[in-house]
Amino acid sequence: MTGAIFRRATVDDIPAMSRIRLAVNENRLRDPGRVTRQMYEDFLERDGRGWIAQVDGATVAFSYANSLDGSIWALFVDPAHEGKGLAKALLALATAWLFESGYAEITLDTGAGTRADLFYARQGWTGGNAGAADVRYTLARPVP
């Protein structure tokens, strides 16, 4: 994670976040039009909050937390920057914000048997069935 800068996402970051979302190798969108610019905008302030990771001035990863239901809406890393700790740091920012917002437990869904599935399990999340091909993970607020 050397040299990475993390900050709140802005509307100017949406094109880079969309590029990253469409570049991933797993959890690919069957219909890229399903995630709209308006959805990105809504999760910046109205329905949540987003963060980006930049390396050498380029946006290479992002996360979004959904304040309406206490979930992680998105966490994606450009394939060229995987394995550098960016996802772990972005997940920490999103979960901390949701816990600070009052949620005692937060959730996310991901594809079963994917690298993301293994990643969340390694981060201490508890997995459960969310359907035929998905896992629903939960994370309880840490006890002080």
Side-chain angles (χ1 to χ4, degrees):
M1 198 168 41
T2 304
I5 295 171
F6 299 89
R7 67 168 173 77
R8 290 262 311 268
T10 70
V11 293
D12 293 334
D13 298 312
I14 292 173
M17 291 184 288
S18 180
R19 176 191 53 78
I20 293 164
R21 178 64 185 96
L22 297 174
V24 298
N25 296 315
E26 289 185 338
N27 195 16
R28 297 180 66 94
L29 288 172
R30 288 184 193 101
D31 175 8
R34 191 176 132 216
V35 178
T36 66
R37 179 178 175 88
Q38 187 63 53
M39 292 169 84
Y40 283 102
E41 290 178 12
D42 290 347
F43 278 108
L44 284 175
E45 291 295 334
R46 192 188 79 186
D47 298 340
R49 186 168 288 178
W51 297 264
I52 62 165
Q54 292 184 309
V55 175
D56 296 329
T59 299
V60 298
F62 72 96
S63 65
Y64 270 103
N66 181 340
S67 62
L68 300 177
D69 67 3
S71 69
I72 302 300
W73 181 66
L75 176 60
F76 294 98
V77 178
D78 184 299
H81 292 275
E82 292 175 352
K84 298 178 181 178
L86 300 171
K88 187 175 181 179
L90 286 167
L91 183 61
L93 289 168
T95 57
W97 182 74
L98 286 169
F99 288 140
E100 290 167 8
S101 297
Y103 285 95
E105 181 178 83
I106 55 180
T107 63
L108 65 85
D109 291 352
T110 195
T114 62
R115 289 178 298 146
D117 184 1
L118 299 173
F119 169 77
Y120 294 117
R122 284 193 308 265
Q123 303 311 308
W125 290 64
T126 302
N129 188 1
D134 290 329
V135 178
R136 167 147 305 153
Y137 276 98
T138 59
L139 183 69
R141 181 184 6 236
V143 178

